[in-house]
Amino acid sequence: MGGLQLFQVTSMQRCPMTPAGYATLEAELKHLKEVIRPEVVRQIEVARAHGDLSENAEYDAAKDRQGMTEARLRHVETQLATAEVIDVSTLDASDLVVFGSTVELLDAETDEELTYRLVGKEEADVKNGDISFDSPIGRAILGKREGEEVKVKAPRGTRKLEILEVRYT
């Protein structure tokens, strides 16, 4: 092929996100740039002042932290650059499960009522009821309507969930 180089062009995939998720990432980016990064630089300077860098554990730890900080900073910048902010409160209310909607579910086996909000991957926090639209439950209920029953494959077997209510808040 001589000097000919082939490049594969890939487009960045859009990352759906709620307005709150976007704001949280913006705040994290600001904190990383204005607080964490300068703090790590100071730690490196202090460790350098201790002399021999070849056996300086403080220096090694500070450089490791710098690497992790820069990696997280690049990740957050990429998430913000590819974000597609979706504000469900601006949509006409419906009984259709969409990204950002809050969904009341009934587990047919246990009669347990569950409440989840479908969010982006970066925002998912099951403890707070925020699940990724790309999670097994998220994929099963997305595009469904109130009253429909869905089956979700889970590690402990298939679960049957009924969609009781959909809210756009």
Side-chain angles (χ1 to χ4, degrees):
M1 292 194 124
L4 181 64
Q5 293 181 326
L6 300 176
F7 294 97
Q8 181 179 6
V9 178
T10 59
S11 63
M12 283 197 211
Q13 187 175 2
R14 302 303 291 166
C15 179
M17 193 174 297
T18 65
Y22 190 86
T24 299
L25 281 179
E26 281 186 315
E28 181 181 357
L29 182 63
K30 182 178 180 183
H31 182 74
L32 286 167
K33 286 182 173 181
E34 296 177 4
V35 177
I36 302 299
R37 184 187 264 168
E39 180 182 307
V40 170
V41 169
R42 279 191 296 281
Q43 290 172 350
I44 291 171
E45 289 171 356
V46 168
R48 276 189 178 148
H50 291 205
D52 184 11
L53 298 181
S54 65
E55 295 182 20
N56 187 331
E58 282 181 61
Y59 178 78
D60 290 340
K63 289 299 281 183
D64 286 346
R65 186 165 183 217
Q66 182 183 39
M68 289 185 288
T69 299
E70 293 303 319
R72 180 63 188 168
L73 202 143
R74 283 188 306 277
H75 177 75
V76 171
E77 286 176 332
T78 299
Q79 293 299 308
L80 289 170
T82 60
E84 183 177 338
V85 179
I86 299 170
D87 186 355
V88 74
S89 68
T90 64
L91 302 176
D92 291 332
S94 167
D95 65 346
L96 183 69
V97 179
V98 298
F99 179 89
S101 59
T102 301
V103 183
E104 299 281 337
L105 301 167
L106 176 67
D107 187 316
E109 216 172 275
T110 65
D111 279 340
E112 179 184 9
E113 288 193 18
L114 309 163
T115 303
Y116 293 121
R117 184 172 66 122
L118 291 181
V119 297
K121 294 175 188 178
E122 281 290 314
E123 304 172 78
D125 183 358
V126 177
K127 292 177 186 171
N128 288 329
D130 293 332
I131 62 169
S132 170
F133 71 97
D134 201 29
S135 67
I137 292 175
R139 283 193 311 268
I141 64 176
L142 195 62
K144 302 294 191 263
R145 296 188 178 279
E146 285 179 12
E148 286 191 60
E149 197 171 89
V150 296
K151 292 181 182 180
V152 179
K153 290 185 181 181
R156 65 176 196 229
T158 301
R159 295 172 68 184
K160 288 182 184 178
L161 302 173
E162 181 184 346
I163 300 170
L164 300 176
E165 182 184 3
V166 178
R167 294 190 307 272
Y168 287 26
T169 54

